[in-house]
Amino acid sequence: MTTVKTAPPVQAPGESRVRRALSALGAAQAYIGLVLVLAVGIATKGEMFLNETNLTNAIGAFASRGILAVGVTLVILTGGIDLSVGSLLGIASMTAAMMLAKFSLEPWQIVPICMVVGALFGFLNGAGTAWLRIQSFVMTLAMLSVVRGLDRQVSDNVSVGTQIAGPDGKLTPQAEAFQLFGTPGHNLFDRIYYPVLAFIVVCVIFHLILTKTRFGRHVYAVGGNPTAARLSGVNVTAVTIAVFTLSGMLAGFAGPIDAAYSASADPQAGQSFELDAIAAAVIGGASLAGGKGTIAGTFVGALILTLLDNVLGLNAVSDNWQLVIKGLIVVVAVVLQRPDLFKIFRGGSRS
């Protein structure tokens, strides 16, 4: 029997260098993007952009979406997607405001309740995806609608304020304490804005979980190759449910922060936040195919979107054009992650 050997593909001179350059560009895209946004901000608005108050407020406003992005990154790493986090933030925000307005609960009681609410819906997302084999896109899209409807029904489509005044006209002790979660002007040691601190702490915790624990390795394994992970003894079902539950829990944590920042909970709160969260993860290098991405990258991706919003706002760019620009940036980020990027530029096969 004659064995026919196929000759290896011949690379054109310089082809390998171009491949390596494109690969390096994809790996460093988040950091390059951050530098570019900073450069544009400094070049166009200078001191106004670099002002400490401006940067603190900008990052603080995005902190709740950044926390959502951390949860979404976990799901993306397993090869799934979570479109419901904006609605989960909304219902957690409404839950926090109602607990404060109707029952005068302390913040330390409100936050765990909101996290449990978010985790329960996240668990349902995971159960539907892992047990019922519903695609995560469809499952979380349905949950987005279900939770938004519940939010509107519970609130009767009316916003609930969080700055509750007592008989003396001053904020109640519970409302005063609740302001620490996100109201501008309430800073730790008069320097560190609490939402920013919360976002950083969440990033550190989940970075350690992904890099130092067996669960973290299983998350990457499931996203890289679920069949191989299962054959290696990884409980793919449990990991899938866990990442969706954690994503929901983080959305529940972001809810009180958003309610405090907005001084109220609105039935529309969190609408389209899921898009910013996914964009932050993708710009930060997370692959929608699963198995690739880091929390550090998501942190940088969130910073890029935050500063981009700020730079565009300072330059009076309309909301419509801001959406166009952010959408194009996400497309570029996804293209740079393509393993066959070199073939695309050469006009070769895209399969």
Side-chain angles (χ1 to χ4, degrees):
M1 181 176 180
T2 303
T3 302
V4 179
K5 295 184 178 180
T6 303
V10 178
Q11 288 189 341
E15 183 173 316
S16 60
R17 289 196 296 273
V18 175
R19 287 180 184 276
R20 286 197 296 271
L22 290 174
S23 176
L25 180 62
Q29 63 181 32
Y31 303 97
I32 295 173
L34 181 60
V35 171
L36 288 176
V37 172
L38 286 171
V40 172
I42 294 171
T44 56
K45 288 300 175 182
E47 292 184 3
M48 184 185 294
F49 171 70
L50 291 175
N51 181 278
E52 180 181 345
T53 302
N54 173 60
L55 293 176
T56 301
N57 289 338
I59 297 173
F62 201 84
S64 56
R65 278 170 284 181
I67 293 171
L68 295 184
V70 173
V72 168
T73 300
L74 297 178
V75 176
I76 289 177
L77 286 175
T78 62
I81 195 75
D82 190 348
L83 300 177
S84 67
V85 288
S87 292
L88 296 185
L89 178 146
I91 201 166
S93 169
M94 185 59 69
T95 301
M98 286 186 166
M99 293 293 105
L100 183 66
K102 295 182 182 297
F103 304 107
S104 298
L105 294 186
E106 299 285 350
W108 64 267
Q109 297 170 306
I110 292 173
V111 173
I113 291 174
C114 293
M115 292 174 73
V116 169
V117 170
L120 285 174
F121 285 112
F123 175 81
L124 293 177
N125 278 332
T129 303
W131 286 336
L132 301 181
R133 306 292 177 88
I134 300 173
Q135 289 183 338
S136 59
F137 177 87
V138 177
M139 184 67 213
T140 57
L141 183 62
M143 189 61 73
L144 176 155
S145 178
V146 169
V147 174
R148 183 64 66 190
L150 288 174
D151 192 359
R152 293 178 181 176
Q153 181 65 30
V154 169
S155 64
D156 206 16
N157 275 321
V158 176
S159 298
V160 178
T162 59
Q163 296 188 337
I164 314 298
D168 57 357
K170 298 180 180 178
L171 292 180
T172 63
Q174 295 84 358
E176 183 67 40
F178 191 78
Q179 308 311 307
L180 297 179
F181 282 105
T183 308
H186 292 74
N187 301 329
L188 181 65
F189 306 127
D190 292 329
R191 301 292 297 180
I192 305 174
Y193 195 24
Y194 282 103
V196 177
L197 179 63
F199 178 36
I200 292 173
V201 169
V202 166
C203 285
V204 170
I205 290 173
F206 281 89
H207 168 75
L208 294 175
I209 289 175
L210 284 177
T211 57
K212 303 295 183 183
T213 68
R214 177 181 295 181
F215 172 74
R217 293 192 292 275
H218 287 181
V219 168
Y220 281 104
V222 170
N225 189 329
T227 302
R230 185 178 290 107
L231 293 174
S232 301
V234 176
N235 189 332
V236 176
T237 299
V239 172
T240 302
I241 294 175
V243 295
F244 277 102
T245 303
L246 288 171
S247 180
M249 185 192 73
L250 287 176
F253 179 60
I257 294 175
D258 187 73
Y261 181 81
S262 306
S264 68
D266 188 273
Q268 303 299 329
Q271 200 162 36
S272 81
F273 279 19
E274 60 275 356
L275 301 181
D276 282 336
I278 294 170
V282 171
I283 292 172
S287 170
L288 293 174
K292 178 185 175 186
T294 63
I295 297 300
T298 298
F299 180 81
V300 176
L303 273 183
I304 291 173
L305 289 178
T306 301
L307 297 177
L308 182 64
D309 276 346
N310 188 250
V311 170
L312 295 176
L314 290 176
N315 285 283
V317 177
S318 71
D319 291 344
N320 297 335
W321 281 112
Q322 289 188 31
L323 288 173
V324 171
I325 292 171
K326 284 198 289 187
L328 291 174
I329 289 175
V330 171
V331 171
V332 171
V334 172
V335 169
L336 288 176
Q337 293 176 10
R338 291 283 298 269
D340 56 349
L341 182 61
F342 185 78
K343 290 182 179 179
I344 294 177
F345 281 104
R346 290 184 60 193
S349 170
R350 301 182 183 186
S351 60

